[in-house]
């Protein structure tokens, strides 16, 4: 990970300042870094920093803690980090150490992580609340709660112990919901590379290739850009497209099947989340076309709802209505559309939501409802729009021509003053455009083989 630039450091500092203004001088904010996790025996999973910690610090190492202490004279931003250790660094990689935390990451004071418990009592003294999400990192929970207990025991003589732990939902996560210009630059990049990866998959897919080979094409494009998948890629052909979280990706592609790909790359902590569904053989069959056009109509109608001030529940309501009307027209459901929606009959074929916040986490933070009601959209929010229809194989009472057809179409959409901006428009989704792209790819492939 390259060191943060001056612009990055200014951005992280602005985020911390904003959070400290929100919580006020009575609070102290404690945010731990992620820990390394064992994959098997002495092999670790690839390290991914905790999103909250990364958002506030840009510090890339495990075993660290950020403390924000508003109003503190000796410095409001502290980092506790792993100590330098020449021998371990030969085996496991570079460490910033406390000096690097100050020099390169903008900490006003830095200590080694083993000094955390020792420093904590004085940091907590006089604070009313600790903004800290209990339950995520049990080792840190134990250190912090032990310290609070210690202060409570001594409090008859000294300062009172903080009265409350506050989860970061209402403060930091609301801040993360509205993306800054800096964040949008990174999200746009993640979306552009991910769109290229989907194009590459469309060009590559054909009968007798395998789902994992298509996944490899996608991941190759991510890695060429120094990126990783932001979540487990779903590459499901035929019936597999009807399994929502299908990740085996090991089947052979056959002519006549649809291939559903849900994959997004992560750039500097920000992920894209794109789904396309296209025919392995290059042409949608009649029934596939009918389902696909319906899902596309629902998606376009839902996207149009992402305008500032609109109720954020609207995209799902609109998509559900379009899909349910279509399901009745196709004979998948029968009855009155309002009644079918009221009784949730549509969930037999459309069982998930229409979108979620997107950012550092694929299912990003930020509340969906305020005071029990869907919150209104505001500029800077990024949401996916991803309706689908899934007719499981063997669905009773359904024309067999639809069996095993699963379609989802997913784009990432930024809410702007001027309306919805689709950040993932680089991957075609109109049937004619998808088929033309696949035809062209085959022609190029045939020409290369003939040459
Ligand atoms: N890829 C996860 C989702 O679409 O929500
Ligand atoms: Mn997705
Ligand atoms: Mn999604």
């Amino acid at each position: 990970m390259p060191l943060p630039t001056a612009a990055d450091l200014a951005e992280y500092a602005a985020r911390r300042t904003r959070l400290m203004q929100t919580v006020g001088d009575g609070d102290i904010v404690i945010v731990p870094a992620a820990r390394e996790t064992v994959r098997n025996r002495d092999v670790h999973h690839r390290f991914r920093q905790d999103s909250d910690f990364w958002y506030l610090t840009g510090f890339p190492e495990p075993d660290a803690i950020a403390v924000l202490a508003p109003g503190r004279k000796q410095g409001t931003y502290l980092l506790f980090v792993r100590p330098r250790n020449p021998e371990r660094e030969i085996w496991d990689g570079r460490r910033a150490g406390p000096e690097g935390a100050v020099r390169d990451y903008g900490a006003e004071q830095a200590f080694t992580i083993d000094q955390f418990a020792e420093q904590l009592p004085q940091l907590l003294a006089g604070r009313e609340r600790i903004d800290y999400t209990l339950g995520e990192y049990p080792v840190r929970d134990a250190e912090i709660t032990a310290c609070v207990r210690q202060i409570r025991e001594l409090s008859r003589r000294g300062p009172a112990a903080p009265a409350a732990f506050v989860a970061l939902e209402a403060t930091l996560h609301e801040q993360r919901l509205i993306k800054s210009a800096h964040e949008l630059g990174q999200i746009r990049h993640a979306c552009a590379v991910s769109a290229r990866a989907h194009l590459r998959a469309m060009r590559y897919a054909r009968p007798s290739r395998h789902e994992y080979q298509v996944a490899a094409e996608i991941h190759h494009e991510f890695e060429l850009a120094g990126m990783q998948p932001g979540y487990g890629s779903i590459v499901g052909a035929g019936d597999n497209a009807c399994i929502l979280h299908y990740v085996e990706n090991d089947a052979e592609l056959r002519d006549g099947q649809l291939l559903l790909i849900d994959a997004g790359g992560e750039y500097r902590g920000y992920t894209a989340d794109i789904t396309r569904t296209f025919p392995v053989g290059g042409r949608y069959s009649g029934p596939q076309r009918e389902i696909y056009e319906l899902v596309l109509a629902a998606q376009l109608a839902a996207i149009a709802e992402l305008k500032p001030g609109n109720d954020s529940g609207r995209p799902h309501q609109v998509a559900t209505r379009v899909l349910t009307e279509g399901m009745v027209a196709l004979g998948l459901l029968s009855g009155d559309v309002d009644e079918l929606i009221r009784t949730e009959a549509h969930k037999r074929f459309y069982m998930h939501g229409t979108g979620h916040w997107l950012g550092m986490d694929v299912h990003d933070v930020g509340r969906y409802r305020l005071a029990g009601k869907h919150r209104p959209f505001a500029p800077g929010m990024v949401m996916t729009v991803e309706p689908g229809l899934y007719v499981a194989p063997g669905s009773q009472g359904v024309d067999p021509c639809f069996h095993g057809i699963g379609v989802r179409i997913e784009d990432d959409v930024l809410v702007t003053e001027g309306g919805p901006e689709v950040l993932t428009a680089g991957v075609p989704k109109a049937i004619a455009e998808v088929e033309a792209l696949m035809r062209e790819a085959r022609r190029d492939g045939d020409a290369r083989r003939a040459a």
Side-chain angles (χ1 to χ4, degrees):
M1 177 78 64
L3 289 177
T5 62
D8 294 333
L9 290 174
E11 168 80 10
Y12 299 131
R15 294 175 187 174
R16 291 189 299 268
T17 300
R18 208 168 133 221
L19 179 59
M20 286 193 273
Q21 281 165 353
T22 306
V23 300
D25 284 0
D27 286 31
I28 186 161
V29 182
I30 303 177
V31 185
R35 314 204 65 174
E36 286 191 294
T37 51
V38 172
R39 180 180 185 274
N40 56 308
R41 200 161 158 83
D42 57 350
V43 176
H44 289 105
H45 283 287
R46 188 187 172 93
F47 181 70
R48 165 56 159 79
Q49 188 54 281
D50 178 274
S51 298
D52 284 338
F53 181 87
W54 201 349
Y55 176 86
L56 291 170
T57 68
F59 190 73
E61 296 181 25
D63 289 327
I65 301 176
V67 175
L68 305 186
R72 182 170 173 271
K73 289 198 183 52
Q74 310 90 309
T76 57
Y77 172 35
L78 292 81
L79 272 179
F80 293 85
V81 303
R82 298 180 303 182
R84 296 292 310 269
N85 179 331
E87 195 199 335
R88 284 304 342 148
E89 289 182 54
I90 286 172
W91 289 89
D92 304 331
R94 297 184 183 88
R95 298 177 176 196
E99 301 77 20
V102 172
R103 184 185 62 236
D104 299 325
Y105 293 92
E108 287 162 84
Q109 268 191 312
F111 300 91
T112 55
I113 187 76
D114 56 358
Q115 292 175 288
F116 180 63
E118 176 187 317
Q119 291 291 324
L120 195 54
Q122 63 209 63
L123 289 168
L124 294 187
R127 303 279 170 178
E128 289 152 32
R129 285 171 302 273
I130 306 177
D131 295 83
Y132 172 77
T133 305
L134 285 163
E136 294 292 327
Y137 299 104
V139 173
R140 303 298 174 218
D141 291 359
E143 285 171 339
I144 295 168
T145 52
C147 180
V148 170
R149 184 167 185 279
Q150 199 185 337
I151 300 174
R152 199 182 295 133
E153 278 176 3
L154 299 171
S155 66
R156 262 166 296 158
R157 283 174 280 127
F165 280 94
V166 184
L168 294 166
E169 269 85 19
T171 53
L172 181 60
H173 292 178
E174 286 297 292
Q175 186 174 323
R176 277 179 52 193
L177 175 59
I178 306 291
K179 274 65 183 177
S180 68
H182 186 277
E183 294 184 282
L184 287 173
Q186 304 195 327
I187 293 174
R188 283 179 200 284
H189 187 71
C191 287
V193 172
S194 303
R196 278 210 306 272
H198 276 261
L199 287 173
R200 184 175 178 133
M202 277 183 192
R203 293 197 181 101
Y204 174 84
R206 65 196 57 182
S208 87
R209 290 187 168 159
H210 284 74
E211 292 165 345
Y212 53 78
Q213 293 174 311
V214 179
E217 290 290 311
I218 290 176
H219 298 159
H220 184 71
E221 197 67 38
F222 292 165
E223 298 226 11
L224 282 177
M227 290 164 46
Q228 297 288 318
Y231 54 89
S233 303
I234 297 168
V235 182
D239 296 352
N240 295 338
C242 297
I243 302 170
L244 297 181
H245 291 159
Y246 176 78
V247 288
E248 284 91 342
N249 301 348
D250 57 2
E252 186 176 327
L253 312 185
R254 293 200 311 272
D255 201 10
Q257 289 179 322
L258 289 179
L259 180 61
L260 183 154
I261 301 180
D262 184 346
E266 181 182 277
Y267 177 68
R268 300 201 173 175
Y270 290 83
T271 192
D273 182 7
I274 306 179
T275 308
R276 289 291 184 268
T277 311
F278 57 90
V280 168
R283 273 188 70 77
Y284 293 85
S285 72
Q288 288 168 350
R289 192 173 288 261
E290 288 186 293
I291 301 266
Y292 188 93
E293 291 287 18
L294 177 53
V295 174
L296 183 56
Q299 203 227 15
L300 295 174
I303 289 173
E305 296 294 327
L306 274 83
K307 294 186 191 135
N310 264 14
D311 172 327
S312 61
R314 288 284 298 160
H316 186 57
Q317 288 155 9
V318 166
T320 301
R321 176 156 296 274
V322 173
L323 289 172
T324 307
E325 285 169 0
M327 287 188 260
V328 171
L330 293 178
L332 293 174
L333 295 176
S334 60
D336 173 65
V337 169
D338 288 325
E339 188 59 12
L340 290 168
I341 293 173
R342 199 186 60 73
T343 58
E344 301 190 333
H346 62 277
K347 286 197 171 174
R348 180 169 177 212
F349 304 109
Y350 180 41
M351 60 298 278
H352 59 74
T354 298
H356 49 82
W357 307 130
L358 182 73
M360 300 191 84
D361 296 306
V362 64
H363 297 157
D364 206 29
V365 294
R367 288 177 292 199
Y368 288 90
R369 288 172 182 267
L370 298 177
K373 290 221 264 299
H374 292 293
R375 72 189 307 158
F377 284 122
M381 293 176 172
V382 179
M383 187 176 241
T384 67
V385 182
E386 51 177 306
L389 269 193
Y390 313 89
V391 186
S395 291
Q396 293 282 317
V398 173
D399 186 335
C401 75
F402 293 120
H403 286 189
I405 296 182
V407 172
R408 178 164 66 255
I409 306 171
E410 176 173 30
D411 281 300
D412 304 338
V413 182
L414 168 66
V415 180
T416 77
E417 290 292 357
E421 179 188 340
V422 179
L423 302 174
T424 45
V427 209
K429 57 186 174 185
I431 283 186
E433 287 175 33
V434 173
E435 290 185 345
L437 186 126
M438 296 187 74
R439 250 194 326 273
E440 197 184 305
R442 270 137 218 259
R443 251 201 321 269
D444 291 352
D446 291 346
R448 261 201 309 278
R449 269 192 300 280

